[in-house]
Amino acid sequence: MSGAEIAAWRARLPSAFGLAPRRRLVRGLAMAGFLAWLGWALWHFGFAPQRLWNGLAGLASILRLMIPPSPGDLWADILTGLAESVAMAFLGTAASALLAVPLGFLGAGNVVTVTLLRFSIRRVFDGFRGIDQLIWALAYVRAVGLGPLAGVLAIATADIAVLGKLYAEAIEAVEPRQVDGVTAAGGGWAERLRLGVLPQVLPVMLAQALYFFESNTRAAAILGVVGAGGIGLQIAERIRVRAWDEVAFIILLMIATVAAIDWASARLRRALITG
C-alpha cells in the first residue's frame, strides 16, 4: 500500500490510526483529575500505611481471641435470637412481596396507560429505595419500641419499593400474544390480568421473593444491632464485653443458617422458573 493510499484511509478513518491530539489531551486531563480526586479522598479519610498496618494487627488479635469458638453459657439466647432473625426476614419479606404485587401492576406501562399515574408511582418507588433498611429500623425503633416488630416493619418497608419495581419490569416483559388470546376470547381487563399476565410473571415473582428472603436473613442480623431484635442484639452484647469466642460461634451459626436457606431457596427458585 502506497503512502497516498494510507493518507486517504487516514483521512476517511482517523480513529483507526490512533486518537486525535485533542482527544488524547481530554483523556489525559480526565485521568489527572481522577488521580487528584483519589489522592484527596485518601488524605481526607486519613489513609496512611502505618494506620492500616495497626488496624490489621488489631484485627489479627481479635481473630486469635475468636479461636476456638464457644457458645458460652447463654447459648439458648443465641438460638432464640437466630430464630427471631429468620422469623423477621420471613415476615418482612412475605409482607413486602404481597403488597408489591398490586404496586407492580400499577407501575407497569402495559397495564396502566396513564403516564402521569405510572410516573408518580415509579418516583415513589425511587424514593423508598433511596432509604436503607437500617434507617427504617432506627425510625421504627423510635415508633414502636425495641424488639423484632421494628425489624419486620423495616424490612417490609424497604423491600416494597424494590420488589414493586422488579415486578413492574417483569410484567412489562410478558408475552403479549397470551394476553391477546384472552381478549379474543371475550375476557375483560380483570381476566387479561388474571389469565394472561399473572401466570407468566408469578414464577418470577415467587423466585424474587425467595431471593429477598435469603438476603433479608443476613440483613436482619444487622438490624438487631440498632435494637430491632434478633441475633444482632446478641452479637452487640458480646462485642461490648469482648467475648470474641462467642461472637465467632454466632458468626459460624449465621453462616450455616444462611447457607441452608440459600440452598433451599435456590432449589425452589429453579423449580418455580423451570416448572
Side-chain angles (χ1 to χ4, degrees), residues 20-44:
R22 182 176 180 181
R23 293 191 64 183
R24 287 199 298 268
L25 177 62
V26 171
R27 286 194 176 185
L29 292 175
M31 180 61 66
F34 171 75
L35 293 176
W37 172 84
L38 181 61
W40 174 85
L42 293 175
W43 171 81
H44 181 72

Side-chain angles (χ1 to χ4, degrees), residues 43-126:
W43 171 81
H44 181 72
F45 293 143
F47 178 83
Q50 184 62 36
R51 184 178 180 184
L52 182 61
W53 177 257
N54 293 336
L56 292 176
L59 179 61
S61 301
I62 293 174
L63 292 176
R64 283 195 298 269
L65 294 173
M66 286 184 172
I67 300 173
S70 171
D73 298 331
L74 302 177
W75 56 270
D77 293 341
I78 295 176
L79 296 180
T80 302
L82 183 62
E84 282 186 356
S85 293
V86 175
M88 286 165 50
F90 177 78
L91 293 175
T93 305
S96 61
L98 291 175
L99 294 174
V101 172
L103 294 176
F105 279 101
L106 292 175
N110 56 346
V111 176
V112 176
T113 57
V114 181
T115 305
L116 180 60
L117 176 60
R118 188 177 65 255
F119 177 82
S120 301
I121 293 174
R122 288 297 187 98
R123 300 294 74 78
V124 171
F125 290 168
D126 295 340

Side-chain angles (χ1 to χ4, degrees), residues 209-272:
L210 287 172
Y211 174 77
F212 270 69
F213 170 52
E214 170 205 331
S215 177
N216 286 331
T217 304
R218 297 190 295 267
I222 304 300
L223 299 182
V225 176
V226 297
I231 195 65
L233 181 60
Q234 304 295 328
I235 295 177
E237 289 178 350
R238 283 155 179 80
I239 291 178
R240 193 175 298 113
V241 298
R242 300 183 182 276
W244 296 111
D245 55 339
E246 297 183 24
V247 173
F249 177 80
I250 295 174
I251 292 174
L252 293 176
L253 195 60
M254 288 174 53
I255 292 174
T257 303
V258 172
I261 294 175
D262 177 45
W263 176 81
S265 62
R267 290 178 63 89
L268 284 174
R269 285 198 303 271
R270 286 195 298 267
L272 290 170

Side-chain angles (χ1 to χ4, degrees), residues 108-110 166-176 197 200-201 204:
N110 56 346
L166 294 175
Y167 289 176
E169 292 176 350
I171 293 169
E172 289 177 344
V174 298
E175 174 58 49
V197 177
Q200 298 188 59
V201 299
V204 179

